Amino acid sequence: MSAPVLLVIAHGSRDPRHAATVHALVRRVRSLRPEVRVETGFLDFNVPSVPGVLESLETEGVRDVVALPLLLTRAFHAKADIPAVLADAPPRLRIRQAEVLGPSPLLRSALERRLYEAGLTPADKSSTGVVLASAGSTDPEAIAVIAEIAREWRHTGWCAVRPAFASASLPRTEDAVRELRELGCARVAVAPYVLAPGFLPDRIARGAAEADVLADVLGPSPEVARVVLDRYDEARMPVLAAVGA
């Protein structure tokens, strides 16, 4: 039995950097698991659309698909938008929706990778406060997850870690930066907990104007690609179990 097709579902954006980053991540995923077919679909703004990809797969005779939300938290898009789109898929497709990417220790490793690429070193951890800056959400579950990631990350040796949000929730990035300054951290770094550039990541960058270090978005980091494949494997396990039954 061939492996299910992995359909990576991204939000989409008018900012061309968003789609370019998504495609770069998908290329890295393919390089790690060349035997798995990986397709990309967007919910809005970009092509191909998710319905378009699903129709093409059905036409080709594909039957098993793992649909993976390219999202860091389980908020509205994962709970409502994506299930609604998948519910309208061609009926001959057997689709399993994978879990969102976060939280994961690998994503925390990706955050640290980006901070070190921006100029920090492991020796700086104890004197550096970090703003964990996410896009934000009206979903309390998503906000609680970000706060918990910040608490856990603090215990790995940083001076302090504070969550911040670019929309929908408080505090904003600039307020968290000031709080860490007042706390006495020798330097302040902003780590965007976002996957690709766009409107809200740009807002995070503006809020980091008074920080010492601004890391890049997570993008096509190897850790993110590995999480994508972990979620794919978790979602396809029931299929494999059924085959072996």
Side-chain angles (χ1 to χ4, degrees):
M1 179 180 178
S2 60
V5 171
L6 169 55
L7 172 58
V8 174
I9 300 179
H11 182 272
S13 171
R14 292 186 178 90
D15 189 322
R17 297 174 298 166
H18 173 89
T21 302
V22 170
H23 290 309
L25 173 59
V26 169
R27 286 194 297 272
R28 186 179 285 274
V29 172
R30 289 188 182 122
S31 73
L32 293 176
R33 195 79 63 87
E35 71 275 14
V36 174
R37 179 176 175 180
V38 186
E39 299 291 342
T40 308
F42 295 91
L43 291 174
D44 207 352
F45 303 116
N46 302 106
V47 292
S49 68
V50 175
V53 174
L54 292 172
E55 290 172 9
S56 295
L57 291 174
E58 193 270 342
T59 299
E60 291 179 35
V62 171
R63 291 295 173 260
D64 291 301
V65 177
V66 170
L68 185 143
L70 200 61
L71 302 167
L72 294 171
T73 57
R74 183 170 161 75
F76 182 79
H77 293 304
K79 293 178 179 179
D81 282 354
I82 292 175
V85 171
L86 297 179
D88 288 335
R92 283 188 288 182
L93 289 177
R94 293 184 292 265
I95 302 176
R96 295 180 180 272
Q97 181 176 332
E99 290 296 329
V100 298
L101 302 184
S104 167
L106 284 169
L107 294 178
R108 191 171 66 202
S109 296
L111 288 166
E112 295 205 356
R113 170 191 291 274
R114 294 302 189 222
L115 285 170
Y116 297 150
E117 289 172 349
L120 294 179
T121 70
D124 297 323
K125 291 183 75 168
S126 63
S127 58
T128 301
V130 178
V131 177
L132 179 67
S134 76
S137 173
T138 57
D139 189 307
E141 178 187 347
I143 297 304
V145 166
I146 299 300
E148 180 60 24
I149 292 169
R151 283 192 293 270
E152 291 179 355
W153 203 15
R154 163 68 182 85
H155 295 306
T156 66
W158 296 99
C159 173
V161 180
R162 294 290 186 271
F165 307 93
S167 68
S169 308
L170 296 173
R172 295 286 183 258
T173 302
E174 53 268 36
D175 298 325
V177 169
R178 294 188 191 106
E179 179 186 351
L180 290 172
R181 291 274 188 226
E182 293 169 0
L183 192 63
C185 297
R187 68 182 64 79
V188 176
V190 174
Y193 191 59
V194 293
L195 287 167
F199 177 76
L200 292 178
D202 284 349
R203 181 180 289 177
I204 290 172
R206 291 193 297 272
E210 296 181 10
D212 301 293
V213 173
L214 170 62
D216 199 358
V217 298
L218 297 176
S221 68
E223 294 87 357
V224 175
R226 287 169 57 197
V227 176
V228 168
L229 289 170
D230 284 348
R231 298 293 181 254
Y232 169 76
D233 289 337
E234 291 162 5
R236 68 189 287 247
M237 287 307 291
V239 175
L240 298 177
V243 170

